[in-house]
Structures are given as structure tokens and as C-alpha cells.
mmCIF file of all heavy atoms in Angstrom:
data_model
loop_
_atom_site.group_PDB
_atom_site.id
_atom_site.type_symbol
_atom_site.label_atom_id
_atom_site.label_comp_id
_atom_site.label_asym_id
_atom_site.label_seq_id
_atom_site.Cartn_x
_atom_site.Cartn_y
_atom_site.Cartn_z
ATOM 1 N N LYS A 768 70.193 53.895 -213.173
ATOM 2 C CA LYS A 768 71.550 54.277 -212.758
ATOM 3 C C LYS A 768 72.617 53.370 -213.359
ATOM 4 O O LYS A 768 73.680 53.851 -213.788
ATOM 5 C CB LYS A 768 71.660 54.239 -211.227
ATOM 6 C CG LYS A 768 70.754 55.216 -210.518
ATOM 7 C CD LYS A 768 70.940 55.179 -209.005
ATOM 8 C CE LYS A 768 70.585 53.857 -208.405
ATOM 9 N NZ LYS A 768 69.136 53.512 -208.537
ATOM 10 N N SER A 769 72.368 52.067 -213.401
ATOM 11 C CA SER A 769 73.385 51.118 -213.880
ATOM 12 C C SER A 769 73.758 51.380 -215.331
ATOM 13 O O SER A 769 74.931 51.380 -215.706
ATOM 14 C CB SER A 769 72.897 49.679 -213.717
ATOM 15 O OG SER A 769 72.718 49.357 -212.353
ATOM 16 N N GLU A 770 72.735 51.605 -216.174
ATOM 17 C CA GLU A 770 73.002 51.865 -217.586
ATOM 18 C C GLU A 770 73.736 53.183 -217.760
ATOM 19 O O GLU A 770 74.689 53.283 -218.544
ATOM 20 C CB GLU A 770 71.694 51.871 -218.373
ATOM 21 C CG GLU A 770 71.854 52.231 -219.852
ATOM 22 C CD GLU A 770 72.717 51.251 -220.639
ATOM 23 O OE1 GLU A 770 72.845 50.086 -220.205
ATOM 24 O OE2 GLU A 770 73.265 51.660 -221.685
ATOM 25 N N ALA A 771 73.311 54.221 -217.030
ATOM 26 C CA ALA A 771 73.979 55.518 -217.135
ATOM 27 C C ALA A 771 75.433 55.415 -216.701
ATOM 28 O O ALA A 771 76.326 55.981 -217.349
ATOM 29 C CB ALA A 771 73.240 56.555 -216.287
ATOM 30 N N ALA A 772 75.701 54.687 -215.625
ATOM 31 C CA ALA A 772 77.070 54.536 -215.150
ATOM 32 C C ALA A 772 77.928 53.796 -216.161
ATOM 33 O O ALA A 772 79.090 54.153 -216.402
ATOM 34 C CB ALA A 772 77.078 53.805 -213.806
ATOM 35 N N ALA A 773 77.363 52.743 -216.780
ATOM 36 C CA ALA A 773 78.117 51.977 -217.765
ATOM 37 C C ALA A 773 78.419 52.812 -219.008
ATOM 38 O O ALA A 773 79.535 52.764 -219.547
ATOM 39 C CB ALA A 773 77.350 50.715 -218.143
ATOM 40 N N VAL A 774 77.432 53.579 -219.469
ATOM 41 C CA VAL A 774 77.637 54.445 -220.637
ATOM 42 C C VAL A 774 78.736 55.457 -220.349
ATOM 43 O O VAL A 774 79.641 55.681 -221.166
ATOM 44 C CB VAL A 774 76.319 55.149 -221.015
ATOM 45 C CG1 VAL A 774 76.575 56.293 -221.994
ATOM 46 C CG2 VAL A 774 75.342 54.151 -221.625
ATOM 47 N N LEU A 775 78.649 56.076 -219.184
ATOM 48 C CA LEU A 775 79.623 57.098 -218.807
ATOM 49 C C LEU A 775 81.027 56.500 -218.695
ATOM 50 O O LEU A 775 82.001 57.040 -219.240
ATOM 51 C CB LEU A 775 79.180 57.725 -217.490
ATOM 52 C CG LEU A 775 79.802 59.048 -217.051
ATOM 53 C CD1 LEU A 775 78.839 59.790 -216.132
ATOM 54 C CD2 LEU A 775 81.106 58.801 -216.314
ATOM 55 N N ALA A 776 81.134 55.375 -217.982
ATOM 56 C CA ALA A 776 82.440 54.753 -217.783
ATOM 57 C C ALA A 776 83.033 54.263 -219.106
ATOM 58 O O ALA A 776 84.239 54.405 -219.349
ATOM 59 C CB ALA A 776 82.321 53.592 -216.799
ATOM 60 N N GLU A 777 82.191 53.700 -219.955
ATOM 61 C CA GLU A 777 82.674 53.192 -221.241
ATOM 62 C C GLU A 777 83.215 54.319 -222.107
ATOM 63 O O GLU A 777 84.272 54.193 -222.736
ATOM 64 C CB GLU A 777 81.539 52.466 -221.953
ATOM 65 C CG GLU A 777 81.958 51.757 -223.233
ATOM 66 C CD GLU A 777 80.823 50.948 -223.833
ATOM 67 O OE1 GLU A 777 79.646 51.304 -223.613
ATOM 68 O OE2 GLU A 777 81.108 49.950 -224.511
ATOM 69 N N ALA A 778 82.520 55.444 -222.131
ATOM 70 C CA ALA A 778 82.921 56.558 -222.985
ATOM 71 C C ALA A 778 84.154 57.283 -222.454
ATOM 72 O O ALA A 778 84.949 57.817 -223.238
ATOM 73 C CB ALA A 778 81.767 57.542 -223.121
ATOM 74 N N LEU A 779 84.324 57.286 -221.129
ATOM 75 C CA LEU A 779 85.386 58.085 -220.523
ATOM 76 C C LEU A 779 86.535 57.250 -219.973
ATOM 77 O O LEU A 779 87.425 57.785 -219.298
ATOM 78 C CB LEU A 779 84.797 58.948 -219.399
ATOM 79 C CG LEU A 779 83.704 59.935 -219.827
ATOM 80 C CD1 LEU A 779 83.143 60.668 -218.616
ATOM 81 C CD2 LEU A 779 84.238 60.918 -220.861
ATOM 82 N N GLY A 780 86.529 55.965 -220.265
ATOM 83 C CA GLY A 780 87.621 55.113 -219.789
ATOM 84 C C GLY A 780 87.601 54.929 -218.291
ATOM 85 O O GLY A 780 88.660 54.879 -217.646
ATOM 86 N N GLY A 781 86.400 54.810 -217.731
ATOM 87 C CA GLY A 781 86.271 54.666 -216.284
ATOM 88 C C GLY A 781 85.877 53.271 -215.873
ATOM 89 O O GLY A 781 85.723 52.372 -216.703
ATOM 90 N N GLU A 782 85.714 53.081 -214.563
ATOM 91 C CA GLU A 782 85.289 51.805 -214.004
ATOM 92 C C GLU A 782 84.227 52.073 -212.949
ATOM 93 O O GLU A 782 84.250 53.113 -212.276
ATOM 94 C CB GLU A 782 86.483 51.049 -213.409
ATOM 95 C CG GLU A 782 87.537 50.705 -214.451
ATOM 96 C CD GLU A 782 88.751 49.975 -213.874
ATOM 97 O OE1 GLU A 782 88.727 49.602 -212.674
ATOM 98 O OE2 GLU A 782 89.721 49.772 -214.639
ATOM 99 N N VAL A 783 83.284 51.139 -212.807
ATOM 100 C CA VAL A 783 82.129 51.323 -211.938
ATOM 101 C C VAL A 783 82.370 50.664 -210.579
ATOM 102 O O VAL A 783 82.851 49.533 -210.502
ATOM 103 C CB VAL A 783 80.868 50.736 -212.588
ATOM 104 C CG1 VAL A 783 79.666 50.832 -211.642
ATOM 105 C CG2 VAL A 783 80.571 51.439 -213.914
ATOM 106 N N VAL A 784 82.012 51.387 -209.513
ATOM 107 C CA VAL A 784 82.088 50.862 -208.148
ATOM 108 C C VAL A 784 80.677 50.804 -207.584
ATOM 109 O O VAL A 784 79.958 51.807 -207.584
ATOM 110 C CB VAL A 784 82.977 51.751 -207.251
ATOM 111 C CG1 VAL A 784 83.010 51.200 -205.823
ATOM 112 C CG2 VAL A 784 84.387 51.839 -207.820
ATOM 113 N N ASN A 785 80.273 49.644 -207.092
ATOM 114 C CA ASN A 785 78.921 49.430 -206.606
ATOM 115 C C ASN A 785 78.661 50.134 -205.276
ATOM 116 O O ASN A 785 79.489 50.088 -204.358
ATOM 117 C CB ASN A 785 78.680 47.922 -206.426
ATOM 118 C CG ASN A 785 77.317 47.613 -205.870
ATOM 119 O OD1 ASN A 785 76.338 48.260 -206.189
ATOM 120 N ND2 ASN A 785 77.250 46.593 -205.017
ATOM 121 N N ALA A 786 77.482 50.781 -205.166
ATOM 122 C CA ALA A 786 77.020 51.356 -203.905
ATOM 123 C C ALA A 786 75.580 50.926 -203.656
ATOM 124 O O ALA A 786 74.739 51.730 -203.282
ATOM 125 C CB ALA A 786 77.140 52.872 -203.919
ATOM 126 N N ASP A 787 75.306 49.646 -203.888
ATOM 127 C CA ASP A 787 73.991 49.065 -203.625
ATOM 128 C C ASP A 787 74.175 47.959 -202.586
ATOM 129 O O ASP A 787 74.974 47.040 -202.783
ATOM 130 C CB ASP A 787 73.386 48.491 -204.905
ATOM 131 C CG ASP A 787 71.995 47.913 -204.682
ATOM 132 O OD1 ASP A 787 71.908 46.833 -204.056
ATOM 133 O OD2 ASP A 787 71.016 48.529 -205.121
ATOM 134 N N ALA A 788 73.427 48.056 -201.497
ATOM 135 C CA ALA A 788 73.642 47.161 -200.364
ATOM 136 C C ALA A 788 73.297 45.708 -200.645
ATOM 137 O O ALA A 788 73.731 44.819 -199.910
ATOM 138 C CB ALA A 788 72.833 47.660 -199.167
ATOM 139 N N TYR A 789 72.519 45.436 -201.704
ATOM 140 C CA TYR A 789 72.134 44.054 -201.995
ATOM 141 C C TYR A 789 72.856 43.477 -203.208
ATOM 142 O O TYR A 789 72.984 42.251 -203.325
ATOM 143 C CB TYR A 789 70.613 43.956 -202.174
ATOM 144 C CG TYR A 789 69.894 43.991 -200.847
ATOM 145 C CD1 TYR A 789 69.497 45.203 -200.284
ATOM 146 C CD2 TYR A 789 69.638 42.830 -200.132
ATOM 147 C CE1 TYR A 789 68.855 45.247 -199.046
ATOM 148 C CE2 TYR A 789 68.998 42.857 -198.902
ATOM 149 C CZ TYR A 789 68.617 44.074 -198.359
ATOM 150 O OH TYR A 789 67.998 44.107 -197.137
ATOM 151 N N GLN A 790 73.348 44.310 -204.095
ATOM 152 C CA GLN A 790 74.057 43.791 -205.266
ATOM 153 C C GLN A 790 75.441 43.251 -204.920
ATOM 154 O O GLN A 790 76.091 42.645 -205.758
ATOM 155 C CB GLN A 790 74.153 44.871 -206.339
ATOM 156 C CG GLN A 790 72.803 45.198 -206.969
ATOM 157 C CD GLN A 790 72.880 46.261 -208.053
ATOM 158 O OE1 GLN A 790 73.865 46.980 -208.174
ATOM 159 N NE2 GLN A 790 71.825 46.376 -208.847
ATOM 160 N N VAL A 791 75.868 43.434 -203.688
ATOM 161 C CA VAL A 791 77.148 42.854 -203.254
ATOM 162 C C VAL A 791 77.035 41.345 -203.084
ATOM 163 O O VAL A 791 78.046 40.640 -203.089
ATOM 164 C CB VAL A 791 77.632 43.479 -201.930
ATOM 165 C CG1 VAL A 791 77.905 44.963 -202.079
ATOM 166 C CG2 VAL A 791 76.634 43.232 -200.794
ATOM 167 N N TYR A 792 75.799 40.816 -202.951
ATOM 168 C CA TYR A 792 75.620 39.406 -202.611
ATOM 169 C C TYR A 792 75.584 38.506 -203.846
ATOM 170 O O TYR A 792 74.904 38.808 -204.824
ATOM 171 C CB TYR A 792 74.325 39.213 -201.823
ATOM 172 C CG TYR A 792 74.362 39.827 -200.449
ATOM 173 C CD1 TYR A 792 73.662 40.997 -200.179
ATOM 174 C CD2 TYR A 792 75.112 39.244 -199.423
ATOM 175 C CE1 TYR A 792 73.694 41.571 -198.914
ATOM 176 C CE2 TYR A 792 75.149 39.806 -198.167
ATOM 177 C CZ TYR A 792 74.450 40.968 -197.911
ATOM 178 O OH TYR A 792 74.493 41.541 -196.663
ATOM 179 N N ARG A 793 76.275 37.399 -203.745
ATOM 180 C CA ARG A 793 76.225 36.386 -204.799
ATOM 181 C C ARG A 793 74.844 35.737 -204.812
ATOM 182 O O ARG A 793 74.276 35.444 -203.769
ATOM 183 C CB ARG A 793 77.288 35.312 -204.565
ATOM 184 C CG ARG A 793 78.714 35.834 -204.518
ATOM 185 C CD ARG A 793 79.719 34.690 -204.359
ATOM 186 N NE ARG A 793 81.061 35.207 -204.164
ATOM 187 C CZ ARG A 793 81.657 35.334 -202.973
ATOM 188 N NH1 ARG A 793 81.015 34.946 -201.879
ATOM 189 N NH2 ARG A 793 82.870 35.825 -202.879
ATOM 190 N N GLY A 794 74.332 35.515 -206.003
ATOM 191 C CA GLY A 794 73.063 34.817 -206.134
ATOM 192 C C GLY A 794 71.845 35.699 -206.109
ATOM 193 O O GLY A 794 70.761 35.266 -206.496
ATOM 194 N N LEU A 795 71.980 36.941 -205.648
ATOM 195 C CA LEU A 795 70.865 37.882 -205.669
ATOM 196 C C LEU A 795 71.003 38.712 -206.940
ATOM 197 O O LEU A 795 71.595 39.793 -206.940
ATOM 198 C CB LEU A 795 70.866 38.778 -204.426
ATOM 199 C CG LEU A 795 70.210 38.208 -203.163
ATOM 200 C CD1 LEU A 795 71.046 37.074 -202.591
ATOM 201 C CD2 LEU A 795 70.024 39.299 -202.119
ATOM 202 N N ASP A 796 70.487 38.193 -208.024
ATOM 203 C CA ASP A 796 70.707 38.789 -209.339
ATOM 204 C C ASP A 796 69.451 39.429 -209.913
ATOM 205 O O ASP A 796 69.394 40.638 -210.105
ATOM 206 C CB ASP A 796 71.240 37.726 -210.306
ATOM 207 C CG ASP A 796 72.543 37.100 -209.821
ATOM 208 O OD1 ASP A 796 73.377 37.824 -209.251
ATOM 209 O OD2 ASP A 796 72.717 35.877 -210.005
ATOM 210 N N ILE A 797 68.439 38.606 -210.169
ATOM 211 C CA ILE A 797 67.217 39.118 -210.784
ATOM 212 C C ILE A 797 66.540 40.129 -209.867
ATOM 213 O O ILE A 797 66.164 41.227 -210.278
ATOM 214 C CB ILE A 797 66.259 37.967 -211.127
ATOM 215 C CG1 ILE A 797 66.896 37.018 -212.151
ATOM 216 C CG2 ILE A 797 64.934 38.512 -211.659
ATOM 217 C CD1 ILE A 797 66.081 35.760 -212.415
ATOM 218 N N GLY A 798 66.403 39.773 -208.606
ATOM 219 C CA GLY A 798 65.670 40.614 -207.672
ATOM 220 C C GLY A 798 66.345 41.917 -207.317
ATOM 221 O O GLY A 798 65.686 42.834 -206.812
ATOM 222 N N THR A 799 67.644 42.035 -207.573
ATOM 223 C CA THR A 799 68.348 43.289 -207.296
ATOM 224 C C THR A 799 68.606 44.089 -208.560
ATOM 225 O O THR A 799 69.227 45.158 -208.495
ATOM 226 C CB THR A 799 69.701 43.018 -206.610
ATOM 227 O OG1 THR A 799 70.564 42.281 -207.494
ATOM 228 C CG2 THR A 799 69.524 42.251 -205.307
ATOM 229 N N ALA A 800 68.128 43.583 -209.696
ATOM 230 C CA ALA A 800 68.385 44.236 -210.991
ATOM 231 C C ALA A 800 69.875 44.490 -211.172
ATOM 232 O O ALA A 800 70.293 45.546 -211.643
ATOM 233 C CB ALA A 800 67.592 45.541 -211.111
ATOM 234 N N LYS A 801 70.650 43.490 -210.824
ATOM 235 C CA LYS A 801 72.113 43.591 -210.921
ATOM 236 C C LYS A 801 72.534 43.733 -212.385
ATOM 237 O O LYS A 801 71.928 43.120 -213.268
ATOM 238 C CB LYS A 801 72.740 42.330 -210.316
ATOM 239 C CG LYS A 801 74.236 42.387 -210.067
ATOM 240 C CD LYS A 801 74.700 41.086 -209.413
ATOM 241 C CE LYS A 801 74.170 40.927 -208.019
ATOM 242 N NZ LYS A 801 74.595 39.644 -207.387
ATOM 243 N N PRO A 802 73.554 44.552 -212.673
ATOM 244 C CA PRO A 802 74.039 44.641 -214.061
ATOM 245 C C PRO A 802 74.355 43.248 -214.609
ATOM 246 O O PRO A 802 75.015 42.445 -213.946
ATOM 247 C CB PRO A 802 75.305 45.494 -213.936
ATOM 248 C CG PRO A 802 75.089 46.313 -212.711
ATOM 249 C CD PRO A 802 74.318 45.431 -211.770
ATOM 250 N N GLY A 803 73.879 42.972 -215.823
ATOM 251 C CA GLY A 803 74.065 41.658 -216.415
ATOM 252 C C GLY A 803 75.429 41.469 -217.034
ATOM 253 O O GLY A 803 76.252 42.391 -217.077
ATOM 254 N N PRO A 804 75.703 40.266 -217.529
ATOM 255 C CA PRO A 804 77.019 39.953 -218.100
ATOM 256 C C PRO A 804 77.414 40.876 -219.250
ATOM 257 O O PRO A 804 78.585 41.262 -219.359
ATOM 258 C CB PRO A 804 76.867 38.504 -218.581
ATOM 259 C CG PRO A 804 75.743 37.950 -217.774
ATOM 260 C CD PRO A 804 74.809 39.093 -217.517
ATOM 261 N N ASP A 805 76.463 41.247 -220.100
ATOM 262 C CA ASP A 805 76.789 42.115 -221.229
ATOM 263 C C ASP A 805 77.270 43.476 -220.751
ATOM 264 O O ASP A 805 78.277 44.007 -221.242
ATOM 265 C CB ASP A 805 75.579 42.278 -222.152
ATOM 266 C CG ASP A 805 75.226 40.991 -222.887
ATOM 267 O OD1 ASP A 805 76.083 40.081 -222.918
ATOM 268 O OD2 ASP A 805 74.107 40.897 -223.410
ATOM 269 N N MET A 806 76.555 44.048 -219.790
ATOM 270 C CA MET A 806 76.938 45.360 -219.275
ATOM 271 C C MET A 806 78.284 45.297 -218.564
ATOM 272 O O MET A 806 79.141 46.169 -218.729
ATOM 273 C CB MET A 806 75.860 45.891 -218.321
ATOM 274 C CG MET A 806 76.117 47.316 -217.833
ATOM 275 S SD MET A 806 74.807 47.916 -216.726
ATOM 276 C CE MET A 806 73.420 48.016 -217.880
ATOM 277 N N ARG A 807 78.494 44.228 -217.808
ATOM 278 C CA ARG A 807 79.742 44.118 -217.051
ATOM 279 C C ARG A 807 80.920 43.759 -217.941
ATOM 280 O O ARG A 807 82.079 43.937 -217.560
ATOM 281 C CB ARG A 807 79.551 43.116 -215.913
ATOM 282 C CG ARG A 807 78.612 43.671 -214.846
ATOM 283 C CD ARG A 807 78.046 42.628 -213.923
ATOM 284 N NE ARG A 807 79.000 42.165 -212.952
ATOM 285 C CZ ARG A 807 78.696 41.349 -211.938
ATOM 286 N NH1 ARG A 807 77.443 40.942 -211.786
ATOM 287 N NH2 ARG A 807 79.605 40.956 -211.093
ATOM 288 N N ALA A 808 80.616 43.273 -219.148
ATOM 289 C CA ALA A 808 81.688 43.021 -220.112
ATOM 290 C C ALA A 808 82.132 44.312 -220.794
ATOM 291 O O ALA A 808 83.256 44.408 -221.291
ATOM 292 C CB ALA A 808 81.229 42.001 -221.155
ATOM 293 N N ARG A 809 81.239 45.302 -220.829
ATOM 294 C CA ARG A 809 81.570 46.572 -221.497
ATOM 295 C C ARG A 809 82.608 47.363 -220.700
ATOM 296 O O ARG A 809 83.508 47.973 -221.278
ATOM 297 C CB ARG A 809 80.295 47.406 -221.661
ATOM 298 C CG ARG A 809 79.371 46.892 -222.744
ATOM 299 C CD ARG A 809 77.953 47.421 -222.590
ATOM 300 N NE ARG A 809 77.880 48.870 -222.417
ATOM 301 C CZ ARG A 809 76.762 49.502 -222.099
ATOM 302 N NH1 ARG A 809 75.645 48.819 -221.890
ATOM 303 N NH2 ARG A 809 76.757 50.820 -221.988
ATOM 304 N N VAL A 810 82.423 47.388 -219.378
ATOM 305 C CA VAL A 810 83.355 48.106 -218.507
ATOM 306 C C VAL A 810 83.574 47.273 -217.245
ATOM 307 O O VAL A 810 82.742 46.436 -216.891
ATOM 308 C CB VAL A 810 82.827 49.500 -218.106
ATOM 309 C CG1 VAL A 810 82.718 50.417 -219.305
ATOM 310 C CG2 VAL A 810 81.496 49.394 -217.387
ATOM 311 N N ARG A 811 84.675 47.527 -216.568
ATOM 312 C CA ARG A 811 84.971 46.785 -215.347
ATOM 313 C C ARG A 811 84.080 47.291 -214.213
ATOM 314 O O ARG A 811 83.915 48.488 -214.015
ATOM 315 C CB ARG A 811 86.442 46.952 -214.969
ATOM 316 C CG ARG A 811 86.864 46.095 -213.781
ATOM 317 C CD ARG A 811 88.356 46.184 -213.553
ATOM 318 N NE ARG A 811 88.749 45.439 -212.369
ATOM 319 C CZ ARG A 811 89.988 45.410 -211.889
ATOM 320 N NH1 ARG A 811 90.953 46.083 -212.516
ATOM 321 N NH2 ARG A 811 90.268 44.719 -210.801
ATOM 322 N N HIS A 812 83.488 46.345 -213.467
ATOM 323 C CA HIS A 812 82.638 46.649 -212.323
ATOM 324 C C HIS A 812 83.280 46.089 -211.050
ATOM 325 O O HIS A 812 83.751 44.946 -211.043
ATOM 326 C CB HIS A 812 81.248 46.038 -212.497
ATOM 327 C CG HIS A 812 80.364 46.770 -213.460
ATOM 328 N ND1 HIS A 812 80.637 46.866 -214.806
ATOM 329 C CD2 HIS A 812 79.194 47.448 -213.263
ATOM 330 C CE1 HIS A 812 79.671 47.563 -215.396
ATOM 331 N NE2 HIS A 812 78.793 47.926 -214.493
ATOM 332 N N HIS A 813 83.259 46.880 -209.983
ATOM 333 C CA HIS A 813 83.835 46.483 -208.700
ATOM 334 C C HIS A 813 82.753 46.328 -207.639
ATOM 335 O O HIS A 813 81.745 47.042 -207.651
ATOM 336 C CB HIS A 813 84.835 47.538 -208.210
ATOM 337 C CG HIS A 813 85.983 47.780 -209.126
ATOM 338 N ND1 HIS A 813 87.242 47.243 -208.911
ATOM 339 C CD2 HIS A 813 86.078 48.509 -210.263
ATOM 340 C CE1 HIS A 813 88.065 47.654 -209.877
ATOM 341 N NE2 HIS A 813 87.379 48.417 -210.701
ATOM 342 N N LEU A 814 82.977 45.401 -206.687
ATOM 343 C CA LEU A 814 82.137 45.185 -205.505
ATOM 344 C C LEU A 814 80.761 44.623 -205.827
ATOM 345 O O LEU A 814 79.789 44.876 -205.122
ATOM 346 C CB LEU A 814 82.005 46.468 -204.673
ATOM 347 C CG LEU A 814 83.307 47.151 -204.245
ATOM 348 C CD1 LEU A 814 83.020 48.262 -203.234
ATOM 349 C CD2 LEU A 814 84.313 46.166 -203.693
ATOM 350 N N PHE A 815 80.669 43.845 -206.877
ATOM 351 C CA PHE A 815 79.481 43.053 -207.150
ATOM 352 C C PHE A 815 79.828 41.590 -206.878
ATOM 353 O O PHE A 815 80.951 41.148 -207.165
ATOM 354 C CB PHE A 815 79.032 43.199 -208.609
ATOM 355 C CG PHE A 815 78.519 44.572 -208.961
ATOM 356 C CD1 PHE A 815 79.397 45.575 -209.345
ATOM 357 C CD2 PHE A 815 77.161 44.850 -208.917
ATOM 358 C CE1 PHE A 815 78.936 46.842 -209.671
ATOM 359 C CE2 PHE A 815 76.694 46.110 -209.246
ATOM 360 C CZ PHE A 815 77.577 47.114 -209.622
#
């Protein structure tokens, strides 16, 4: 889902809003498969 959302938002001038109950937390990165710095640099991400 994260890659599809980033591709879609990047192509259409959109921004991503998180709807994952654990990706909102700081420090829970690897275990939540949180979008990485490269992906979040491509498009703006909210609520991570």
C-alpha cells in the first residue's frame, strides 16, 4: 500500500495521509514497515 500511495501521489500532485495505527508512533519504524526517508522525500506524508 505505501508504495502504491506514493506512486499515485507523486504522479498526481497529491499528499499521503497515514491510516495505520502503529505508524503514528515515533521509533516504531522497522517493525511497522513505515515508509522510509526516500519515499517520504518523494511526496509529503502526514500523521507519521
Side-chain angles (χ1 to χ4, degrees):
K768 297 182 297 295
S769 296
E770 176 62 23
V774 166
L775 196 154
E777 186 175 27
L779 300 177
E782 298 179 7
V783 176
V784 179
N785 178 37
D787 182 287
Y789 283 89
Q790 291 181 344
V791 297
Y792 292 106
R793 301 183 186 98
L795 276 70
D796 301 322
I797 298 173
T799 64
K801 192 178 292 179
D805 292 344
M806 185 179 293
R807 290 162 75 173
R809 286 161 50 189
V810 295
R811 186 174 176 184
H812 284 65
H813 300 259
L814 306 190
F815 292 86

